[in-house]
Amino acid sequence: MKSQTPRALIAFAALVYVLLVGPLIIVIGAALSDTTYLTFPPQGLTLRWFENIFEISAFRRTIVTSLELAFLATGLALLIGIPAAYALNRYRVRLPSWLSTVFVLPILVPEIVLGFSLLKSVAVGASLPIFLSLLIGHTLLVLPYCVRVISASLASFDFSIEEAAISLGSPPAKTFFTIVLPNVRSGVIAAFILAFITSINDVSTSLFLTGPGISTLPIQILAHVEQFFDPTIASVSVLLMFLTVGVMAVVERTLGLTFLTK
Amino acid sequence: MFKRFAGWMLASPATLVVALFLVLPVSLTIATTFGDQSGLFAPYLDFLDSGFRRTVLWRTLEVSLATTAISLVLGFLTAYVVSKAPGRLKSILIIAAVFPLLTGVVVRSFAWLIILGRNGILNNFLIGIGVTDEPFSMLYTEGSVIIAMVYLFTPLMILTVIGVLENIPEDLLQASASLGATPAATFRQVVFPLAVPGLIVGSVLVFTGSFTSYATPQLLGGERQMMMGTLMYQAAMVNFDWVSASTIAAIMVVITVSVVLAMTRIARRLNPMTT
């Protein structure tokens, strides 16, 4: 016997959900409208605004830049984040307790402050190229997700299995790749996806690091909205939503989405 | 020998990256706001001296507090219903909360431009049902920024609170009921106190997120409703006044870090089991 949830409360929650999903449906509707201004419900249906995205070269370029950045930053963050997560769990007693706090810092420091500080020190101070500065910024931005999510799955890994393999003569590096890594695969996938989505959608850090000729998609969207108010932006938004749906389908297949609330 | 340093060796690349590209640059940014020739705290006094910048600071605090309070109520009640929902429906509801969260700030703020604009859905609707003949200007007000922020952060609150509610053992609720407590009493005396640490974590995330946001105030507040984030961008990239921008950055760091520290301390005191 479960206790009954009051009707009024259920109705309230239903209303909140309508308000959560509604605006996204409105964006989809606006993207399909046959008018040159943003409107909903759509006046006639067309897909030409989707074609328009790829005809505007600024969008083409920023989509490519954003994808490259997201893949590279996530890859780099995993490359340095997996060993760190492993060390934090495997050698916990030998490492100082503040070390795990280091990997929370990028979440604690406001993204916009990180972006500005990187502009001053890396982009201007060390005069690094724009793309490299963006890459550094995005790697930092996604590093906490990689370290923490993989750490969480390593926490339930029994390291005595690894020791057994090593004592049977398996070299440590080989043991890591054949025993440890496959056991935390779902954690790595989750980390990859969270990091990738975070990078693709980032505004605040990229804001300061984009420069002449190199921008990211969300920054380009912001700039476009301020000049033109046409359905192209709605259709770009729909593309980003499809990307999210695709990613969520992958998570659902591999892990089940409820892991996100744990 | 290897074992002694193995942990450090494996953790050092990531630690170095954070130290070199986060700790150092942010410290330098904050350091440049001190030790001006005109006095140690000159840039801060300068900031507080300007009526405009004081207004921006108050507005940012106001918008962030309002956003936190509203999404706290919406998120908590919704999360409670979701946590009680039967299995299949519960996963659908969780997915429906995760989806907006993964959709990106720009897209979600943009949705409210379509809704609240002069020729937006809300105005068309209000004219349609005869409430008004002239469209209202709803954009570029503090209200529109708060609405979009609440929209942005409520899913985050829902997910944070569901996580906590799910961890409350079912036995506890049954015990309360078997001792004669009404559902309302169980909610007030068992569920709510145990959910408080989750509500605090959620509030911290929402407050710091709103306080340091850029895209939403930029799109829905415009020049008129500047907030700390948009003010900082303008100082740095429009006026090229890096000392001002660094001062704003330092104020944001101090406020968000103090809120995080204060609230985690309170949360820990309320529930010694969460560390």
Side-chain angles (χ1 to χ4, degrees), chain A residues 6-119:
Chain A
R7 285 258 168 87
L9 209 52
I10 294 178
F12 180 83
L15 185 68
V16 170
Y17 267 100
V18 169
L19 288 174
L20 284 188
V21 181
L24 297 177
I25 293 170
I26 287 167
V27 173
I28 297 175
L32 296 172
S33 180
D34 198 12
T35 49
T36 51
Y37 53 92
L38 276 163
T39 185
F40 184 92
Q43 319 275 304
L45 294 177
T46 175
L47 287 176
R48 73 183 160 108
W49 300 112
F50 286 91
E51 288 167 31
N52 203 29
I53 302 172
F54 298 98
E55 272 157 24
I56 301 176
S57 64
F59 276 116
R60 268 202 321 262
R61 258 182 298 143
T62 54
I63 289 173
V64 173
T65 309
S66 273
L67 287 173
E68 281 173 356
L69 258 184
F71 274 114
L72 285 173
T74 307
L76 277 176
L78 285 174
L79 200 65
I80 59 174
I82 293 176
Y86 175 81
L88 287 177
N89 283 278
R90 178 78 175 73
Y91 302 102
R92 188 181 297 139
V93 284
R94 291 170 194 275
L95 293 171
S97 55
W98 54 260
L99 193 63
S100 61
T101 316
V102 167
F103 304 108
V104 188
L105 285 177
I107 293 182
L108 207 60
V109 172
E111 286 173 38
I112 192 164
V113 173
L114 172 63
F116 175 61
S117 302
L118 282 175
L119 167 74

Side-chain angles (χ1 to χ4, degrees), chain A residues 30-246:
Chain A
L32 296 172
S33 180
D34 198 12
T35 49
T36 51
Y37 53 92
L38 276 163
T39 185
F40 184 92
Q43 319 275 304
L45 294 177
T46 175
L47 287 176
R48 73 183 160 108
W49 300 112
F50 286 91
E51 288 167 31
N52 203 29
I53 302 172
F54 298 98
E55 272 157 24
I56 301 176
S57 64
F59 276 116
R60 268 202 321 262
R61 258 182 298 143
T62 54
I63 289 173
V64 173
T65 309
S66 273
L67 287 173
E68 281 173 356
L69 258 184
F71 274 114
L72 285 173
T74 307
L76 277 176
L78 285 174
L79 200 65
I80 59 174
I82 293 176
Y86 175 81
L88 287 177
N89 283 278
R90 178 78 175 73
Y91 302 102
R92 188 181 297 139
V93 284
R94 291 170 194 275
L95 293 171
S97 55
W98 54 260
L99 193 63
S100 61
T101 316
V102 167
F103 304 108
V104 188
L105 285 177
I107 293 182
L108 207 60
V109 172
E111 286 173 38
I112 192 164
V113 173
L114 172 63
F116 175 61
S117 302
L118 282 175
L119 167 74
K120 283 174 66 180
S121 60
V122 173
V124 174
S127 54
L128 292 185
I130 295 168
F131 188 81
L132 193 58
S133 308
L134 275 169
L135 184 57
I136 292 172
H138 279 231
T139 305
L140 276 169
L141 199 64
V142 304
L143 183 63
Y145 295 99
C146 297
V147 175
R148 295 183 70 190
V149 173
I150 294 166
S151 238
S153 30
L154 276 170
S156 58
F157 175 72
D158 183 1
F159 281 102
S160 60
I161 303 172
E162 187 197 22
E163 272 163 31
I166 293 174
S167 70
L168 289 170
S170 169
K174 189 188 169 201
T175 313
F176 177 79
F177 285 106
T178 53
I179 308 283
V180 184
L181 207 51
N183 271 292
V184 293
R185 196 178 50 202
S186 59
V188 176
I189 296 172
F192 181 92
I193 284 164
L194 282 177
F196 190 84
I197 292 275
T198 304
S199 166
I200 280 277
N201 285 323
D202 172 71
V203 173
S204 296
T205 303
S206 312
L207 194 62
F208 295 94
L209 300 172
T210 54
I214 299 184
S215 191
T216 65
L217 185 56
I219 305 287
Q220 179 64 33
I221 295 178
L222 269 178
H224 190 95
V225 173
E226 277 162 17
Q227 288 175 43
F228 318 95
F229 203 60
D230 66 16
T232 311
I233 293 302
S235 53
V236 178
S237 305
V238 172
L239 276 192
L240 279 172
M241 276 190 241
F242 277 134
L243 180 75
T244 308
V245 172

Side-chain angles (χ1 to χ4, degrees), chain B residues 146-164:
Chain B
I146 294 174
I147 290 175
M149 291 262 198
V150 167
Y151 179 66
L152 229 52
F153 288 111
T154 299
L156 190 61
M157 186 69 88
I158 294 177
L159 289 173
T160 312
V161 180
I162 288 177
V164 179

